[in-house]
Amino acid sequence: MDETLSHGTEGAPQKGTVTQRAIERIKAMIKEGRLEPGQRLPTERDLAAQLGMSRSSMREAIRALTVLGVLEARHGSGIYVTQLEAGDLLETFGVVADLSRGPRLVELLEVRRILESTATALAAARITPDQLAEVEKHLTAMNATDDPEEILAHDLAFHREIAAAAGNETMAAILEGLSSRTFRARVWRGYQEEGAFERTRREHAAIHRALLAHDPEAARAAAAAHVGEVEQWLRTQLTP
């Protein structure tokens, strides 16, 4: 039976299940440096005793934090704190993007338009020659085929390289999550049916030119226009 805490250890009112409280206690240990990235957790029994909680609550808390990418189970070795990289912790954005439908997808594209344009502007200022060569490689490959699967793969890689060049790992991780392959495949199929490949190729070329010129404002505008086209296309799909 689910237990409910009415008061926390400091006497302040606390709502939520004992499992949720256990999650917060483990997170506090990490935040306070008592558990470091890559460190092995005490055994479930020891951790439960240390925090004054039941083993079943601790088991559920560990399971939940593993799903969230905070902890990882190593077969035959135990439970460890992950490296707490942004990519591990923000993977759930991908689940949101994959499962969202209708108006919620438009909302996600609005968020992506804002972040993608900012990331592309930062990349224009910071991109290295090697990173620029990678972006150009994927642009060339996109232009050399009409196969939607190949275009999709290089489109993802094109934007991933730009996000990496922005130099903000957290932003790159959020964009990775928002750039659901499932959703992009649907867009590319729609574009193929409408014969819109040439338009999106022009949009990618405009982004590349702005990066090549190291022009942040032109890069911002080109990226916003590109994602904005996808956003507008989706809105027309949702119109009865």
Side-chain angles (χ1 to χ4, degrees):
M1 186 173 72
D2 198 20
E3 304 164 71
T4 302
L5 288 181
S6 59
H7 294 282
T9 53
E10 296 82 18
Q14 282 284 325
K15 293 183 179 179
T17 64
V18 174
T19 299
Q20 289 167 335
R21 184 63 176 158
I23 289 170
E24 292 305 316
R25 297 289 280 278
I26 295 172
K27 283 165 59 180
M29 290 178 74
I30 295 170
K31 186 168 62 175
E32 293 162 8
R34 288 184 285 155
L35 286 172
E36 298 283 354
Q39 185 176 336
R40 185 179 184 276
L41 257 67
T43 65
E44 190 181 281
R45 183 198 300 272
D46 289 347
L47 195 57
Q50 184 178 335
L51 297 179
M53 314 200 85
S54 70
R55 286 186 64 183
S56 62
S57 296
M58 196 53 57
R59 187 178 304 118
E60 289 301 318
I62 289 170
R63 187 175 296 151
L65 288 169
T66 300
V67 171
L68 290 172
V70 176
L71 304 177
E72 63 178 336
R74 299 182 189 173
H75 186 65
S77 179
I79 307 293
Y80 290 77
V81 180
T82 66
Q83 291 304 313
L84 303 177
E85 300 287 350
D88 296 327
L89 301 178
L90 295 171
E91 277 185 358
T92 48
F93 272 99
V95 177
V96 174
D98 279 341
L99 299 183
S100 293
R101 301 171 62 194
R104 184 58 53 83
L105 268 179
V106 176
E107 289 182 2
L108 287 173
L109 272 172
E110 286 179 340
V111 174
R112 188 182 146 214
R113 173 164 49 83
I114 293 163
L115 291 181
E116 191 104 44
S117 56
T118 300
T120 308
L122 287 171
R126 299 172 177 175
I127 197 164
T128 67
D130 286 347
Q131 289 171 324
L132 200 50
E134 281 298 305
V135 170
E136 190 168 340
K137 180 183 80 175
H138 293 297
L139 179 65
T140 301
M142 261 191 284
N143 290 338
T145 181
D146 288 322
D147 182 331
E149 282 299 315
E150 284 188 41
I151 292 173
L152 173 62
H154 289 292
D155 174 55
L156 281 164
F158 176 87
H159 289 287
R160 189 177 290 130
E161 287 291 339
I162 292 170
N168 185 316
E169 289 184 16
T170 302
M171 189 184 296
I174 294 172
L175 279 168
E176 182 74 19
L178 291 172
S179 303
S180 159
R181 186 183 178 90
T182 304
F183 172 67
R184 282 191 182 225
R186 180 184 160 195
V187 170
W188 278 116
R189 282 195 299 272
Y191 274 11
Q192 185 181 32
E193 289 165 9
E194 294 178 12
F197 276 4
E198 285 310 311
R199 184 186 70 209
T200 196
R201 281 173 174 153
R202 287 196 300 272
E203 291 165 4
H204 282 107
I207 292 170
H208 175 250
R209 282 195 303 274
L211 294 175
L212 201 58
H214 295 285
D215 186 336
E217 288 313 308
R220 184 191 307 276
H226 174 52
V227 182
E229 284 288 344
V230 181
E231 193 180 319
Q232 188 55 43
W233 175 83
L234 182 59
R235 287 183 193 278
T236 63
Q237 300 297 301
L238 296 175
T239 303

